[in-house]
Structure formats: C-alpha cells, structure tokens
Amino acid sequence: MFDLDLLTERARVTPDKLAVVSIETGERLTYAQLNERAERAAEILRAVLEPRDRFGLLAYNSIEFLELFFAAGKANVIVVPLSTRATQHELEHIASDCGMKALFYGPEFEAIDVGVTRYATNVGQASACPGQAEACPTFEACPTSEARPASAEDTYALLYTSGTTGKPKGVMIPKRQLYWNGYNTAVNWGLREDDVSPVFTPLYHAGGIAAFLIPIFCMGGTIILHKGFDVNEVWTTIERERCTVVLGVPTIWKLLMDAPQFPSVNLENVRWFISGGAPLPQYIIDAYQQRGVVFKQGYGMTEVGVNCFTMTVDESFRKPGSIGRPMLFTEV
C-alpha cells in the first residue's frame, strides 16, 4: 500500500467529497481536484530532485502548501516544513543540517536565500518546467521521470523541533508513522466523514499537519484552511462552515473565549473542541462547558507523529485537566 499515498486513495474512494476550503482565496476543492494539483506538483519535484532528496517548504497555510506536502509522498522525496517565524540564521542551519537541495517559498518569503535553488510555491502554474533550459508550452508537455518505488519506512517529512536545549533537531517521520497515527487518531477520537474542521495552526508544525489534517483526511472529512490565526475569522468560519471538531492550544482558546462573539456565536454543529500543546487552565474549560461545548484535552509529541492520548466525552466532564488514556496500541 505504501507505493500509494493518502490523497490518492481518498481521491479514488471519495473523489467528489469536499476536501479543503481556503479562507484566503475562496477555493473549494474536492479530493479529486486537490489530488490532481498534488500530482502536478509531484512532477515538478521529480524534475528537480532525486529520490529521497530533501526540499524546504517555507510558506503560510495555503492550498499550495498542501499540494507540495502531499506531492512529496508521491515523488518519494522528503519535505522539510519550515517555521515562518524562523530567522535567516535558523533557516540556514536547518538547510545545512538536513542537506536541503531546494527551497519552495510562499510570496512573503521571496527574499529568503539559504544557498539552495529556490522555487515559488505556485511553480506548478508556471509556463516553464523547473530544471529545464527551455520553456514548455504547457506543464503537461514537460518531461517526467519514472515512478520511484517507496517503502513504508521511507522518511516522508523532517519536522524540526527545538526541544529544551541546543539547536533545532530534525525528527524523521516515515510514511508508516504518519498514516498509522492518522488512522489511530481518527478511530480513537471518533472522527467521521461528515466532520468539518478549521485549521488555523501552522502546517509547518506537527500539530497543524499531523494532529488533525491527516486524521480528517483519513476519514474523508473537510478542512477549512486559514492562512493564520485570526480570532474574528475563526469564529465566523466555525459558524458559517458549520464546523464540528476544532483543535487548538490553550493560548488560542483563551483568545477565542475573550472575543466579543464568544457569548453569542452559534455552536450547534460543534461536536467537541480539543486542546493540546500545554496544560489547559480549569477556568477556560469551565467557560466552554458553560456554553454547552464538549471540551477535550490531549497530548502529543512530534517524535511520535504526533497524537498519543484519547479521551471520551464522559471523561472530559468527569476528569477535567486529564489528557485521557493512551490511544490503542500505544504504550506510555
């Protein structure tokens, strides 16, 4: 199964299901449409990289980010999502540390140069085939490489995490780990194909890409993609798009709680909220429960790809402050 990828399989099983909505651009893509765009991006990667080469991805949350992230698995190369808050010095260290061969950047980062070949994240729409001396009339006419066999243990992504000491360290996430954790999360958290979830945490972080986006895609749900976090925009999205499950960190839940919309926003479609990343104060739990919302907590580590615990609805009320129980087949 690992010569395929999650997006390919989703597009095969539920091609017409809505996969992602971009708040920034208004695009609404089905799994088939998103997969088609990721396939085009994969051909770009095959044209400029060798198997298992590393490429940096420096961009805010966007459709293009998703295209390139899923394209990495298709092209059997390793994606290195980069923090949009990192300094030039930090980015140079990561590029050197991982042996980065290319950098794909969003429009806000055009001036960033870490000493490797650079491409805009919208390169798939360009008229020239990267790495080719002559322009191609259309992208479809560009030469492509043969399919490259992959294994379940191949590193899919390098996620850099600073830990508590020293310089950032690249955590090697194999495809097996990414998919297994996604399915295990979907099963343990009770995700459904009709779930709709806003993603406003950065996709360069394990919490953004692996804690919720991959599990939602495993179930065939819908992601509402925000470029970044904006309190008013998030509450509007939750109400307008009828979001059902929402993941955040304590700071975000505090900001949302303090917003003017909090007492009156329509939450009738919400099944539960969940918090991770840091201990959640009791008064925040109380505030959301008073609004009639189930509020769960969890715990994860980048090194395990990322979710570790699960909590029932009953436990969220009976043991506030707990992170629940280890997920199935997980030892703690």
Side-chain angles (χ1 to χ4, degrees):
M1 63 173 288
F2 285 97
D3 58 338
L4 299 176
D5 64 272
L6 174 60
L7 194 53
T8 297
E9 289 297 278
R10 261 292 141 216
R12 179 180 65 81
V13 176
T14 55
D16 299 324
K17 181 73 178 352
L18 184 64
V20 60
V21 176
S22 170
I23 294 297
E24 182 182 13
T25 66
E27 295 171 283
R28 304 177 76 89
L29 301 181
T30 65
Y31 279 104
Q33 291 169 327
L34 181 59
N35 187 58
E36 180 180 1
R37 290 174 61 160
E39 291 284 359
R40 290 168 58 89
E43 292 304 324
I44 293 288
L45 296 180
R46 293 188 184 103
V48 302
L49 297 169
E50 295 297 322
R52 298 176 182 80
D53 275 351
R54 275 75 67 198
F55 73 94
L57 180 51
L58 181 61
Y60 291 111
N61 293 2
S62 62
I63 299 292
E64 290 78 14
F65 191 110
L66 295 182
E67 291 172 12
L68 286 161
F69 185 87
F70 285 104
K74 296 174 182 291
N76 194 20
V77 295
I78 300 171
V79 58
V80 187
L82 299 168
S83 171
T84 54
R85 298 181 177 181
T87 65
Q88 175 77 26
H89 176 73
E90 290 169 331
L91 293 173
E92 289 173 352
H93 164 73
I94 291 173
S96 173
D97 183 66
C98 74
M100 188 182 297
K101 296 298 179 64
L103 174 68
F104 286 77
Y105 62 88
E108 298 85 357
F109 304 99
E110 186 174 1
I112 295 294
D113 187 353
V114 294
V116 300
T117 307
R118 301 183 307 137
Y119 305 97
T121 52
N122 64 350
V123 70
Q125 287 77 50
S127 61
C129 187
Q132 305 297 320
E134 299 179 359
C136 300
T138 64
F139 179 77
E140 286 77 11
C142 294
T144 60
S145 61
E146 297 180 359
R148 300 163 179 172
S151 91
E153 298 304 320
D154 283 348
T155 298
Y156 190 110
L158 281 172
L159 300 181
Y160 272 79
T161 178
S162 61
T164 55
T165 62
K167 295 179 179 179
K169 305 166 185 66
V171 176
M172 297 182 292
I173 306 294
K175 181 178 284 189
R176 166 196 48 80
Q177 184 176 357
L178 188 70
Y179 288 3
W180 171 252
N181 195 258
Y183 279 110
N184 206 15
T185 299
V187 169
N188 282 267
W189 289 11
L191 297 179
R192 309 187 313 216
E193 65 178 4
D194 60 347
D195 276 328
V196 179
S197 181
V199 171
F200 41 75
T201 52
L203 292 175
Y204 65 74
H205 190 275
I209 196 70
F212 230 36
L213 186 142
I214 295 296
I216 289 286
F217 274 20
C218 283
M219 293 306 297
T222 300
I223 288 296
I224 313 298
L225 190 61
H226 292 251
K227 181 177 180 179
F229 176 72
D230 177 270
V231 171
N232 296 330
E233 192 175 70
V234 168
W235 277 133
T236 299
T237 293
I238 290 174
E239 188 172 73
R240 183 187 65 235
E241 299 292 341
R242 299 180 178 181
C243 295
T244 59
V245 289
V246 187
L247 170 71
V249 298
T251 300
I252 283 176
W253 292 120
K254 175 65 164 61
L255 291 170
L256 289 169
M257 183 184 77
D258 291 339
Q261 300 97 317
F262 182 66
S264 60
V265 64
N266 186 345
L267 301 176
E268 65 179 0
N269 295 292
V270 173
R271 296 204 293 125
W272 41 262
F273 291 159
I274 188 167
S275 181
L280 186 65
Q282 181 68 47
Y283 75 93
I284 295 181
I285 299 174
D286 293 340
Y288 282 92
Q289 288 183 345
Q290 288 167 10
R291 282 258 24 222
V293 177
V294 174
F295 206 116
K296 299 183 179 183
Q297 294 180 78
Y299 175 85
M301 295 176 66
T302 300
E303 292 83 353
V304 300
V306 59
N307 297 322
C308 305
F309 286 79
T310 183
M311 172 180 283
T312 66
V313 171
D314 174 68
E315 288 169 340
S316 72
F317 287 98
R318 185 168 51 84
K319 294 197 69 175
S322 169
I323 54 173
R325 306 171 189 269
M327 293 202 304
L328 291 171
F329 309 108
T330 303
E331 294 182 5
V332 175

